[in-house]
Amino acid sequence: MSILSYIAISEGKIKRSSLEVVSHARKLAENNGLETHAVIIGENAGEFVDEIKKFGVGKIYTVKSPLLKDHINRTLIEAVVKVIELDKPKVVAFASTEAVKDVLGAVAARTDAGVISDVSSFDLQDNTVRAIRPIMATKFLAETESSADLVLVSVRSGSYDVKESPGDAEVIPVEFDLDEDSLKQKIREIISTSGDKIDLSEANIVVAAGRGVKDHEGKKLVEELSEVLGAAIGASRSVVETGMFSPTTQIGQTGKVVSPQLYIAVGISGAIQHVSGMINSKTIVAINKDPEAPIFDIATYGLVGDLYKILPLFIEQLKELKSK
Amino acid sequence: MNFFACIKQVPDLAGPMRIKDGELVQDTDRMMLNAYDASAVEEALGLIEKYGGELEVVLAGPEKAKETARKALAMGAEKGNLISLPPDLKLDSAGYAEILSAFYKDKEYDVILCGKQSQDTDAGLTGSMLAEKLQIPYASNAVGMDVDEAQKKMIVTRQGDTGQEIIELSTPCLVTCSNDMNEPRIPSLKGIMQSKRKPFDTYDLEKLGLNSEELTASKVKTKITGYRDVPGREPGKKLEGEPEELVQQLINLLENEAKVL
Amino acid sequence: MEEDKFDCIVVGGGVAGLSAAMTLAKANMKFLLIERGEFSGSKNVSGGVLWGDDLAKLVPEYWKDEEGYERFINHRRLSFMDEESSFSIDFKSEHFNATPYRGIIVLRAKFDNWFANKVQEAIDKSDYPDESFIANSILVDEIIMEDGKAVGIKAGGEEFYSNTVILAEGVNNLLTRKVGLQNKYVPVDYMATGIKEIIRFDQKKLEDRFQLDGLSGMSNEFVGYATRGIEGGGFLYTNRDSISLGLVLGMKDMRRKGKKPQDVLNEFKEHPVIRDIIKGGEMVEYSAHVVSTGDIRAMPKEIYTDGLLIAGEAANLLMNSGKAIQGMDYAMRSGILAAETATQAKGKGDFSSDTLKAYRSALEGSFVLKDMHKFQSAVQFLHSDDMFETVPKIVCDFGKDFFTIENKPTQKSATLLRKAVKKHSSYWRMLKLALKGGRSL
Ligand SMILES: Cc1cc2nc3c(=O)[nH]c(=O)nc-3n(C[C@H](O)[C@H](O)[C@H](O)COP(=O)(O)OP(=O)(O)OC[C@H]3O[C@@H](n4cnc5c(N)ncnc54)[C@H](O)[C@@H]3O)c2cc1C
Ligand SMILES: Cc1cc2nc3c(=O)[nH]c(=O)nc-3n(C[C@H](O)[C@H](O)[C@H](O)COP(=O)(O)OP(=O)(O)OC[C@H]3O[C@@H](n4cnc5c(N)ncnc54)[C@H](O)[C@@H]3O)c2cc1C
Ligand SMILES: Nc1ncnc2c1ncn2[C@@H]1O[C@H](COP(=O)(O)O)[C@@H](O)[C@H]1O
């Protein structure tokens, strides 16, 4: 039996969070005398095999098909289910990406599995998966367990370190076909907002804008700051609502979970629904003109002041520092 | 189109809560309509205003949760359904999906709407589980929705990892809704008054051919064994003063203390 | 429209509004209660003691439902403080253990919500289960007046009509002012700021510290150094597993002395006596709210007009006698009486002042206005500098001497008292004060 890790591919790259998951899965497998397996699903699944081999896995399933070019939940479900039926794992571990969130419940229903979503840590002991999940916008943690024969777990990004381990995996290509008409759904259009920019959910530095960023000028300051820092841009719900920032950048309960080394909150008050998505950042800098703003309760460094005055100076100094 | 929305009653997260004797308790007994479900109801009402149709809501929960279903009626839904559950029955998303699928077995619907997740559990599973059980196509995390009347299709904009996907779903289908889609209306006084006169059906598990023992034994596959407080962060430094000084100090700290530059 | 017309519309779902609504439901009136908060109680920060037993009439045997209240009072303490001491009058008695209780400690956020649910149950049992409503999250913008007569309300662009309107909007009585029953600005002299913290303990620890048994509870009022010489007083109530600790501070005096309520409260918490009481507790909530001083001069010109009745703190009905704040019981009784008057008016088919003036006489005949009149001089007496500065100092000095036992000849207590009085005041002044106090209390 195995712990099977799902390797997510996004924009031609392996998601770092998948590597975090497979690193942890390997440890659990070793502790429980299980094998470590991985599955890569995508149009070019084969291209990523070599990288996954570095993670000490025994078997790598690859599901390759033109049908898998874009994310369509039905095709992904069928592909994952097929591999689960082949491998018969004890646990399937996923990184909690939007694509995974889209299918996790359906896969569990199809395979009659126990499922624990969006965990911040999990363990396997005596055939029971025990996980910690943040709940209620990370107001509390729930200790959740499942002793089902098959358990699916999805893991928040940043929960584990990426650790390589030598190994020589057997690669098992899996046949996959599907009648496109049976999908009963079709993609009309994909609006990609990220382009070649940095993937927010995996970024080392995030500059996040909130309602304090009122206008085009403020937005430009945020963009410039992220530029000099090589940071990804994030946003609170308020500025996504107004359309100033794309929903792809939203961080929080509704949006993404990030855990960068440095998180700079610019004009964000620190509502629990926002904090829920960034509380695990290593260093948090908050710039807010209201000294009572709740963001200061969690900030490593809080700057009380006007972002329109602080950011230009900050950018200038950073540029100077860089040129040295 | 004929809409159904699955709505859940959740505790008011703005109110104080704490862990007491291994359970999460609210200081005050304030229950609300799950925010994501409120967005689902709002979206359906908007589409109905545009294209016509009807909205029914269904809620599985204790008898007291009826007030939450009423709120959806006050917003404008036409009919309410309560699947009355024993108050001490502990279910996970799979349990609720099982109950809801039993409810929909003999219903006629074009579109079932769910919230993308429950505000209290943040699980995000019930919607896709239900779609799978009913064997209908679905889309999750919708941030926009429209109806293609001619083809009887739903056009859903969903938020994906790196951008948005606009998807066409044949009906019947299921969509789970993000609260980024709209701003749910606050029921007007008229709406509140009318809500009491609207048709309302109440079911129990037996009527749906289910029973709690079997649900707990074979459908519910996870359990919560305890709760913990979120560990607090180390108290940080709050800097006040002139912008120049602040920036100077910050750069210094980032470089030498946090070592992140 | 006529079929949608209500017998009564109640504005505000606080204690006064809910008490009115409960009375209306029981009298089979078709009514609408409107509360701007998402829940009844969500806008209510206060917690405190609901004195008297009116609640037992509205919700029979309420004490069996432990969800509604925190504890019942069987232990009372009044403490005089100087900067390092407190001298208390302490009374505890089994006599308070009998139901209906004479006072219960409530947290409004919880109590109001519970009470609203009870009102809903009463509506369900009335003749108008589907025609009477409690509506939340709705702000009443205006009372519709036609020819000087209240005929309904306006909220969010909608209009609703009724034979009578009961205004129970609380101390910030904007609508009462809008309809011209109260001057636009009520002088700050008549207003105070109430601030309160909830400090949580392990329940067992709390029960041990305050010697509580089961649901018994304690109330402690403080005068003197509690407020650092600012007109007002302090209070402490035991909840289930927390205490409410706070101050009521005269607004004018605070302004004059340039103090901020939160600072005074922090100083209060650092008083050696208080520090010991709250040790090991965790502050979980802070809130501040305006509260009337109970000065009768702050009452509206009249508390009724054609089609309209004003109840609770909207009419500035409150008594702050130093030994207790009575706002909720006043709100409750006035709400009940207003609803009874509205019901009688329906019986007569006459909603003019002529009928509604019965509300005023009922209130005059009840403890509410009787006490407000009777103790008016007491209220003013209590708000004198002597009462919260000189007297506590004398009492504490006396206490220090009286309770200190040294290896020296002991003086008689009368001598000690004389010494204390002389240090802080004069006999003459204290005599005058004692007479005044004796007369007014
Ligand atoms: C179910 C649900 C899910 C939600 N999910 C999310 C989510 O995923 N992500 C999210 O972000 N929110 C989410 N929210 C919304 C959340 O509750 C808050 O409303 C939101 O995060 C507030 O955004 P903000 O901090 O930008 O705005 P505000 O709360 O308005 O704060 C703006 C801040 O900017 C400061 N400011 C203003 N001008 C300046 C200036 N010139 N210089 C410096 N500072 C300035 C102000 O002092 C203030 O603190 C959710 C809410 C619900 C109910
Ligand atoms: C710190 C503090 C401690 C206190 N301690 C005690 C105590 O121990 N014992 C005691 O008896 N009293 C105490 N009081 C006083 C007591 O709280 C009040 O006297 C009492 O709440 C008055 O009740 P009410 O119903 O008149 O008003 P409120 O309780 O204020 O209720 C008014 C309601 O009307 C609603 N409302 C207002 N305007 C509108 C509108 N336009 N449309 C719709 N709704 C509206 C409000 O949201 C509110 O819920 C204390 C007060 C404070 C501030
Ligand atoms: N008890 C319930 N009654 C009705 N719908 C529910 C219930 N529980 C979950 N749902 C639906 O499923 C969504 C949330 O799923 P989950 O996050 O898995 O709990 C909600 O937004 C509802 O649409």
Side-chain angles (χ1 to χ4, degrees):
Chain A
M1 271 236 261
S2 75
I3 299 184
L4 177 66
S5 296
Y6 170 82
I7 306 298
I9 310 295
S10 171
E11 313 216 300
K13 277 203 320 236
I14 296 177
K15 281 274 215 183
R16 192 189 67 208
S17 44
S18 300
L19 299 177
E20 295 168 6
V21 167
V22 70
S23 303
H24 179 62
R26 188 183 62 235
K27 206 183 99 200
L28 290 187
E30 280 164 11
N31 293 348
N32 286 275
L34 298 174
E35 288 170 42
T36 308
H37 296 169
V39 49
I40 312 172
I41 296 172
E43 196 187 12
N44 309 311
E47 292 173 16
F48 306 98
V49 165
D50 287 342
E51 185 158 2
I52 298 306
K53 278 186 174 169
K54 293 186 207 148
F55 285 84
V57 291
K59 284 181 189 167
I60 302 174
Y61 298 90
T62 56
V63 188
K64 230 169 35 171
S65 157
L67 287 170
L68 294 160
K69 177 168 172 285
D70 298 315
H71 171 79
I72 297 176
N73 55 31
R74 179 53 45 199
T75 42
L76 185 56
I77 294 165
E78 297 304 330
V80 172
V81 168
K82 189 152 190 198
V83 175
I84 291 177
E85 282 169 356
L86 260 173
D87 192 56
K88 302 201 171 44
K90 167 67 198 167
V91 176
V92 188
F94 302 80
S96 194
T97 62
E98 285 303 337
V100 165
K101 286 181 184 173
D102 191 23
V103 301
L104 195 63
V107 172
R110 260 290 276 291
T111 55
D112 208 24
V115 52
I116 312 180
S117 59
D118 242 354
V119 308
S120 55
S121 71
F122 75 105
D123 196 5
L124 173 66
Q125 257 176 29
D126 314 324
N127 268 325
T128 301
V129 174
R130 294 195 175 80
I132 303 290
R133 335 186 28 246
I135 57 165
M136 303 196 170
T138 318
K139 248 184 152 174
F140 295 100
L141 303 176
E143 298 163 5
T144 309
E145 62 174 52
S146 177
S147 310
D149 295 338
L150 169 65
V151 181
L152 314 183
V153 182
S154 69
V155 187
R156 288 181 154 216
S157 78
S159 301
Y160 292 103
D161 292 335
V162 175
K163 271 201 204 104
E164 296 189 357
S165 165
D168 191 23
E170 175 193 354
V171 178
I172 306 172
V174 179
E175 282 301 311
F176 183 72
D177 202 12
L178 202 72
D179 172 11
E180 263 187 279
D181 284 342
S182 75
L183 292 176
K184 296 190 207 150
Q185 60 177 307
K186 194 163 95 195
I187 295 187
R188 274 203 179 173
E189 197 183 332
I190 293 177
I191 310 166
S192 181
T193 34
S194 73
D196 54 358
K197 292 204 198 98
I198 303 150
D199 183 349
L200 176 60
S201 59
E202 323 227 299
N204 270 320
I205 305 181
V206 172
V207 176
R211 202 195 298 275
V213 177
K214 281 183 212 53
D215 46 20
H216 191 67
E217 190 198 331
K219 188 176 177 188
K220 266 190 74 182
L221 288 172
V222 168
E223 285 166 349
E224 266 184 65
L225 178 60
S226 71
E227 183 86 35
V228 278
L229 286 169
I233 294 183
S236 78
R237 178 150 176 250
S238 335
V239 286
V240 168
E241 252 174 357
T242 60
M244 198 180 335
F245 289 83
S246 138
T248 312
T249 61
Q250 181 165 320
I251 291 169
Q253 190 183 21
T254 296
K256 289 195 166 72
V257 174
V258 300
S259 50
Q261 294 297 307
L262 174 61
Y263 187 93
I264 306 181
V266 181
I268 290 179
S269 63
I272 59 161
Q273 293 91 350
H274 181 79
V275 169
S276 171
M278 45 70 78
I279 186 74
N280 284 328
S281 307
K282 187 132 182 289
T283 299
I284 298 173
V285 172
I287 302 172
N288 197 307
K289 67 177 180 191
D290 172 10
E292 303 296 327
I295 190 81
F296 288 125
D297 298 343
I298 58 156
T300 326
Y301 307 124
L303 274 64
V304 183
D306 186 345
L307 70 95
Y308 286 89
K309 295 211 179 95
I310 292 175
L311 287 193
L313 293 167
F314 191 28
I315 293 165
E316 196 183 309
Q317 297 242 3
L318 283 171
K319 277 187 182 154
E320 241 171 67
L321 198 74
K322 249 178 115 180
S323 66
K324 268 192 230 157
Chain B
M1 291 265 185
N2 207 346
F3 291 90
F4 271 81
C6 305
I7 61 174
K8 187 178 177 187
Q9 189 185 55
V10 296
D12 176 13
L13 292 197
M17 293 192 85
R18 64 190 139 127
I19 303 162
K20 203 175 173 184
D21 307 325
E23 296 284 338
L24 272 186
V25 293
Q26 279 182 288
D27 272 10
T28 50
D29 179 26
R30 289 185 191 163
M31 303 300 286
M32 332 196 311
L33 173 58
N34 186 26
Y36 300 97
D37 304 348
S39 282
V41 169
E42 177 61 44
E43 198 64 15
L45 293 174
L47 292 176
I48 287 167
E49 276 158 24
K50 223 158 129 192
Y51 301 106
E54 266 203 10
L55 170 66
E56 276 190 43
V57 294
V58 53
L59 186 151
E63 195 66 38
K64 267 184 63 188
K66 190 172 178 180
E67 64 189 74
T68 296
R70 276 247 176 82
K71 169 145 189 224
L73 297 183
M75 286 174 76
E78 277 311 314
K79 185 180 170 191
N81 297 279
L82 174 74
I83 304 166
S84 172
L85 303 177
D88 50 357
L89 182 63
K90 287 205 169 105
L91 297 173
D92 59 2
S93 298
Y96 286 120
E98 183 69 20
I99 293 171
L100 291 169
S101 74
F103 169 83
Y104 283 111
K105 215 158 38 195
D106 60 354
K107 298 282 181 296
E108 274 186 39
Y109 51 84
D110 297 313
V111 184
I112 296 176
L113 298 179
C114 284
K116 72 171 251 184
Q117 71 203 53
S118 304
Q119 269 179 290
D120 55 349
T121 65
D122 287 332
L125 298 166
T126 308
S128 65
M129 284 176 163
L130 179 59
E132 185 66 32
K133 284 176 189 290
L134 297 172
Q135 302 205 307
I136 54 175
Y138 73 92
S140 70
N141 203 9
V143 292
M145 238 188 271
D146 206 351
V147 173
D148 182 337
E149 278 192 295
Q151 300 188 69
K152 257 202 135 235
K153 283 188 171 166
M154 287 299 291
I155 314 300
V156 178
T157 307
R158 75 174 292 272
Q159 180 60 45
D161 280 302
T162 53
Q164 289 161 11
E165 296 141 21
I166 303 178
I167 305 169
E168 231 178 73
L169 295 171
S170 5
T171 53
C173 65
L174 183 148
V175 182
T176 80
C177 302
S178 164
N179 60 339
D180 287 338
M181 195 154 48
N182 52 42
E183 197 55 53
R185 66 194 70 186
I186 291 167
S188 67
L189 265 173
K190 280 229 167 58
I192 295 171
M193 290 183 189
Q194 283 160 359
S195 72
K196 278 201 182 172
R197 296 176 203 139
K198 288 183 173 169
F200 203 101
D201 285 345
T202 303
Y203 297 76
D204 56 18
L205 289 177
E206 200 171 61
K207 200 160 153 191
L208 296 175
L210 300 166
N211 73 66
S212 13
E213 289 76 41
E214 205 185 301
L215 266 180
T216 326
S218 69
K219 299 298 172 193
V220 173
K221 290 196 159 66
T222 63
K223 69 169 187 263
I224 294 180
T225 53
Y227 295 96
R228 297 185 197 168
D229 285 310
V230 177
R233 287 182 68 96
E234 295 272 304
K237 295 195 169 93
K238 193 146 118 189
L239 315 174
E240 289 180 72
E242 288 305 310
E244 290 79 10
E245 291 164 34
L246 292 182
V247 169
Q248 201 58 57
Q249 283 182 55
L250 178 63
I251 298 244
N252 191 9
L253 287 166
L254 290 178
E255 223 181 351
N256 303 317
E257 195 178 85
K259 301 195 167 50
V260 284
L261 287 187
Chain C
M1 201 73 245
E2 201 51 34
E3 62 175 303
D4 273 345
K5 187 166 169 177
F6 292 94
D7 292 327
C8 186
I9 293 177
V10 183
V11 181
V15 174
L18 290 167
S19 304
M22 184 59 112
T23 310
L24 293 170
K26 291 188 166 187
N28 283 317
M29 295 275 279
K30 180 175 146 187
F31 72 94
L32 170 63
L33 171 91
I34 308 174
E35 164 59 42
R36 71 182 160 157
E38 200 170 340
F39 302 92
S40 259
S42 55
K43 299 265 171 188
N44 263 307
V45 300
S46 85
V49 186
L50 171 57
W51 299 104
D53 59 2
D54 274 352
L55 182 60
K57 290 175 212 146
L58 295 177
V59 185
E61 307 205 308
Y62 71 82
W63 50 87
K64 293 192 171 154
D65 189 353
E66 294 177 4
E67 286 297 301
Y69 64 103
E70 297 296 303
R71 293 177 177 279
F72 69 89
I73 299 243
N74 74 352
H75 187 181
R76 302 206 53 198
R77 187 185 285 160
L78 177 62
S79 304
F80 296 87
M81 301 175 104
D82 70 8
E83 53 268 75
E84 55 175 19
S85 345
S86 86
F87 190 110
S88 302
I89 305 170
D90 188 290
F91 186 72
K92 186 169 184 174
S93 171
E94 281 266 309
H95 143 90
F96 291 126
N97 288 26
T99 51
Y101 299 128
R102 318 298 164 83
I104 51 170
I105 300 167
V106 300
L107 286 171
R108 292 293 297 282
K110 221 163 145 178
F111 174 78
D112 288 17
N113 198 42
W114 169 86
F115 198 11
N117 289 336
K118 294 287 165 196
V119 173
Q120 186 57 54
E121 286 171 20
I123 290 175
D124 293 339
K125 278 192 225 137
S126 78
D127 290 350
Y128 298 103
D130 296 335
E131 286 95 10
S132 286
F133 300 93
I134 301 179
N136 288 78
S137 300
I138 288 175
L139 175 79
V140 174
D141 301 312
E142 215 173 290
I143 305 293
I144 307 173
M145 300 294 284
E146 281 174 7
D147 308 324
K149 182 172 176 294
V151 294
I153 60 99
K154 241 188 225 172
E158 295 178 289
E159 294 185 355
F160 292 88
Y161 292 88
S162 63
N163 289 324
T164 45
V165 174
I166 296 178
L167 253 183
E169 55 179 336
V171 63
N172 193 8
N173 57 0
L174 300 175
L175 297 174
T176 304
R177 294 174 209 189
K178 239 179 178 169
V179 298
L181 284 175
Q182 178 137 44
N183 290 338
K184 266 211 161 101
Y185 300 102
V186 180
V188 290
D189 303 46
Y190 306 148
M191 291 296 152
T193 302
I195 49 169
K196 187 197 72 178
E197 283 185 4
I198 297 201
I199 299 170
R200 185 176 289 153
F201 295 86
D202 172 62
Q203 185 160 334
K204 178 87 180 38
K205 192 164 171 186
L206 179 91
E207 289 172 351
D208 287 348
R209 183 164 300 176
F210 293 94
Q211 295 159 314
L212 309 173
D213 180 31
L215 284 186
S216 81
M218 178 235 220
S219 76
N220 193 347
E221 278 74 24
F222 302 89
V223 269
Y225 202 72
T227 55
R228 304 274 156 149
I230 293 169
E231 173 193 334
F235 57 84
L236 182 159
Y237 310 122
T238 55
N239 305 315
R240 285 284 168 87
D241 64 357
S242 63
I243 58 168
S244 297
L245 180 77
L247 300 169
V248 173
L249 299 162
M251 271 192 187
K252 191 175 160 197
D253 207 30
M254 217 161 26
R255 239 177 244 184
R256 204 173 54 208
K257 293 176 179 151
K259 288 261 196 169
K260 278 205 220 122
Q262 182 147 24
D263 297 337
V264 187
L265 181 61
N266 282 335
E267 286 168 339
F268 179 47
K269 283 168 69 183
E270 279 157 24
H271 188 282
V273 173
I274 302 299
R275 207 173 50 210
D276 285 353
I277 294 181
I278 63 177
K279 199 165 68 193
E282 181 199 1
M283 204 271 271
V284 290
E285 205 182 300
Y286 167 85
S287 53
H289 201 265
V290 181
V291 57
S292 319
T293 54
D295 194 313
I296 209 155
R297 288 170 295 187
M299 275 186 67
K301 290 180 219 161
E302 192 42 272
I303 52 172
Y304 65 91
T305 185
D306 291 334
L308 185 80
L309 301 154
I310 306 174
E313 226 184 320
N316 275 305
L317 300 174
L318 184 132
M319 168 73 82
N320 185 353
S321 62
K323 65 171 185 179
I325 308 169
Q326 291 175 261
M328 290 187 261
D329 52 338
Y330 280 35
M332 187 166 276
R333 177 59 69 89
S334 60
I336 294 172
L337 293 177
E340 284 174 359
T341 308
T343 310
Q344 287 155 13
K346 185 190 175 192
K348 277 169 62 177
D350 174 24
F351 308 97
S352 70
S353 314
D354 236 19
T355 309
L356 300 189
K357 70 179 181 219
Y359 170 52
R360 173 112 209 169
S361 17
L363 212 52
E364 293 280 1
S366 75
F367 67 90
V368 176
L369 283 179
K370 277 209 168 115
D371 284 358
M372 278 185 74
H373 285 301
K374 196 172 355 160
F375 292 102
Q376 208 34 229
S377 46
V379 168
Q380 281 159 29
F381 162 70
L382 279 163
H383 293 266
S384 67
D385 280 353
D386 278 330
M387 247 340 266
F388 49 79
E389 259 189 302
T390 325
V391 173
K393 280 187 187 151
I394 295 173
V395 172
C396 287
D397 265 7
F398 168 73
K400 273 177 236 171
D401 288 338
F402 183 80
F403 288 110
T404 309
I405 299 186
E406 285 177 312
N407 300 335
K408 276 195 242 166
T410 307
Q411 289 179 301
K412 280 211 164 152
S413 40
T415 323
L416 295 176
L417 188 58
R418 253 183 310 204
K419 200 177 104 198
V421 170
K422 251 171 121 177
K423 185 166 154 204
H424 297 288
S425 183
S426 67
Y427 296 126
W428 179 233
R429 203 140 153 229
M430 280 302 110
L431 188 67
K432 265 202 332 206
L433 198 65
L435 280 173
K436 204 166 141 198
R439 245 185 287 124
S440 55
L441 283 168

